[in-house]
Amino acid sequence: MTAHTADITPPEGVQVSFDISSAGARFGAQFLDILITFGGLLAFFFVMIWLQVFDWALLGTLFFLLIFLIRVPYYIFAELVWNGRTLGKKIAKIRVISADGRRLTPHQIVARNLMKEVEVFMPLTTLFAGEFSSTWTGWALAIWMIAILAVPLFNKRRQRLGDMLAGTLVVDQPKLVLMPDLAAQNVDAATGFVFDAGQLEVYGRYELQVLEEILRAEPKSPEAKEKVDHVARTIARKIGYRQQLLSKDTWVFLSDFYRQQREFLESRHLFGDTRENKFHGDAETDQVPRKSG
C-alpha cells in the first residue's frame, strides 16, 4: 500500500515531501509514552500499598491526580526539548511538525497535547473509574472514544482533532544522508564567494540536504532558474550576505555555500557539536529534517 505523504513548503520556498506516520508507529509511540508516564508512578503506588501508608480511597484519588500532573507536562516538555518528539516518538522514529512548514511553536505543542486529554485520557479515565449516573453515560463515553480514535483513519494526513486544531502533523523521522560526491564536484566551481563562521552557523544538516537536492541538476528552464535565484537570495538574506548577488552568479553562490557549509558542519561534528538545522539550540522547537530519497 502506498504511504501517505504531505507536501510542505517552508519559508525558503523549496517544497519538501514527508511520509505521514502510520497508525502502528503512532500507537507504538503512544504505548511507550504511557509506559514511561505510568510505570514509575505505578511502582511508587505498589510500594505505598504494600507498606499500607494510605487507604485505598485516598490512593485512587491521589493516583489520578498525579497521573494528570505528570502526563501533561511530560508530553509538552518532551516535545519542546526534543523538537516535536517524546521518548516514545524518538524510539518509534516519528515526530511532530508544523503543517505550514514553519517552526513548531510552543502554542501548537500545548494545544495538541491538551486536546489529547479531552480526546482520549479524560474519557478513558472516567470510563475505567466506572462511576456513572446511568449505563447510557458509559456507552456515550465508549462511543466518543471510538469515534475520536477513528478520526485519523478517515483523513489523508492522519490527523487527530488535536493536530487539526494545532495545525500539526506526525511524520516519519528518517536518517539524514549527505552525499559526499557533490561537495567534491563543486570545488572546481568556486569563484570567490567566501562565507564566515557566523554566516555558516545559521543553517544545519537539514537545510544542507535540501540545498543538495537543488544542486543535483543545474536549472535549464526559466522557471527552474527563477526558483534557484529565489533560494539563493533567501539564503543570502538570512545569513546576512551584504554583497550584491547577480542572477548569473546565483548557481555558483549556492555551490560555494554548499561546499563551505558542509565543511563547516563536518568540522563541528568532529568536536561533538552536530547542528541539526537552523533552529538548533533555540528555546523553541525546530523544523523537522526532510526524508532523503
Side-chain angles (χ1 to χ4, degrees):
M1 183 171 61
T2 304
H4 291 237
T5 60
D7 294 327
I8 295 176
T9 304
E12 282 73 18
V14 180
Q15 190 178 75
V16 182
S17 294
F18 300 95
D19 285 342
I20 302 297
S21 298
S22 66
R26 295 184 69 168
F27 176 81
Q30 185 64 72
F31 180 74
L32 290 171
D33 286 326
I34 289 175
L35 286 181
I36 292 167
T37 52
F38 275 73
L41 194 58
L42 281 175
F44 169 76
F45 273 93
F46 280 139
V47 173
M48 293 298 101
I49 293 171
W50 181 68
L51 295 175
Q52 298 181 347
V53 175
F54 303 113
D55 59 42
W56 282 97
L58 180 58
L59 278 175
T61 303
L62 187 60
F63 178 81
F64 286 116
L65 176 62
L66 288 180
I67 277 295
F68 178 79
L69 294 177
I70 291 173
R71 181 177 61 232
V72 176
Y74 164 78
Y75 283 102
I76 293 174
F77 182 74
E79 290 184 0
L80 280 170
V81 172
W82 288 315
N83 307 321
R85 291 170 291 178
T86 59
L87 287 172
K89 289 185 177 70
K90 290 183 75 172
I91 295 171
K93 293 182 172 57
I94 63 176
R95 72 186 300 166
V96 181
I97 65 169
S98 180
D100 62 4
R102 297 183 180 275
R103 178 186 308 188
L104 186 64
T105 65
H107 172 78
Q108 290 175 299
I109 291 174
V110 171
R112 72 182 304 275
N113 283 299
L114 288 182
M115 273 299 295
K116 185 184 293 182
E117 292 294 318
V118 178
E119 291 176 65
V120 180
F121 289 121
M122 289 179 63
L124 187 63
T125 301
T126 307
L127 192 63
F128 278 109
E131 298 179 358
F132 311 124
S133 57
S134 68
T135 305
W136 289 107
T137 305
W139 279 107
L141 283 172
I143 294 172
W144 165 265
M145 287 196 61
I146 293 172
I148 290 299
L149 292 174
V151 168
L153 302 177
F154 293 98
N155 66 83
K156 185 178 179 181
R157 291 188 163 189
R158 294 181 179 147
Q159 292 172 294
R160 58 179 179 83
L161 292 181
D163 288 317
M164 295 178 184
L165 176 67
T168 55
L169 298 172
V170 182
V171 300
D172 289 343
Q173 170 68 55
K175 292 182 178 180
L176 290 175
V177 178
L178 297 177
M179 305 297 183
D181 58 328
L182 186 59
Q185 293 171 4
N186 288 331
V187 171
D188 295 335
T191 61
F193 288 103
V194 178
F195 307 96
D196 59 37
Q199 293 169 329
L200 296 174
E201 281 182 345
V202 174
Y203 289 119
R205 292 192 302 166
Y206 161 62
E207 290 81 16
L208 186 64
Q209 189 187 36
V210 174
L211 181 56
E212 181 180 271
E213 293 296 326
I214 296 173
L215 293 173
R216 285 291 164 188
E218 191 167 354
K220 302 298 182 184
S221 66
E223 293 79 9
K225 292 179 180 179
E226 183 178 350
K227 179 180 177 180
V228 168
D229 286 352
H230 174 73
V231 172
R233 296 184 193 284
T234 299
I235 291 176
R237 183 177 67 254
K238 285 187 176 292
I239 67 175
Y241 190 80
R242 303 301 181 187
Q243 299 180 29
Q244 184 180 10
L245 185 60
L246 303 177
S247 295
K248 66 182 182 64
D249 296 327
T250 53
W251 180 257
V252 178
F253 173 87
L254 291 178
S255 299
D256 286 351
F257 182 76
Y258 172 87
R259 177 174 54 82
Q260 294 175 48
Q261 178 76 71
R262 183 188 177 93
E263 291 172 353
F264 177 78
L265 293 177
E266 288 177 346
S267 66
R268 292 279 293 269
H269 182 68
L270 291 176
F271 293 96
D273 183 7
T274 300
R275 184 173 181 84
E276 186 174 349
N277 52 46
K278 63 184 178 183
F279 301 122
H280 182 81
D282 285 3
E284 297 181 353
T285 55
D286 65 343
Q287 174 62 41
V288 61
R290 190 190 67 82
K291 182 175 181 180
S292 59

